[in-house]
Amino acid sequence: LWQVYQTARDQVSPGSDVDRLFTAMYPMIPAIDQFFDKVLVMHEDRAQREARLGLLQAIWGLSQGILDVTRLEGF
């Protein structure tokens, strides 16, 4: 997930539009699905838990200044 996030991050900037954001994030879907299927985000080890939550927060942050994802169904 970290690798596909980095690729998406390189494609999106605060001045990007919604189409650019979705184009960058669409390839992340399989990695996100696999992450939630195979990784325990709320791990008992604090460092692992914080790293995993930080990655999810960084992914969320890709939309900053482009889209209010809280307005999308499911958020």
Side-chain angles (χ1 to χ4, degrees):
L1 183 56
W2 173 251
Q3 290 172 340
V4 294
Y5 160 71
Q6 289 178 312
T7 300
R9 182 192 63 198
D10 292 343
Q11 297 173 16
V12 176
S13 64
S16 296
D17 60 17
V18 173
D19 288 334
R20 168 63 89 178
L21 175 66
F22 285 163
T23 298
M25 293 189 75
Y26 184 76
M28 295 179 69
I29 293 171
I32 291 170
D33 288 342
Q34 184 177 12
F35 182 80
F36 282 110
D37 287 344
K38 298 188 177 193
V39 175
L40 177 61
V41 176
M42 299 306 285
H43 197 277
E44 63 185 43
D45 180 73
R46 183 178 179 165
Q48 286 188 29
R49 180 177 60 247
E50 288 179 359
R52 293 169 183 176
L53 289 170
L55 175 57
L56 295 174
Q57 186 174 21
I59 292 168
W60 175 276
L62 289 174
S63 67
Q64 289 288 86
I66 301 170
L67 174 71
D68 181 0
V69 293
T70 63
R71 309 266 328 211
L72 298 174
E73 185 176 331
F75 283 93

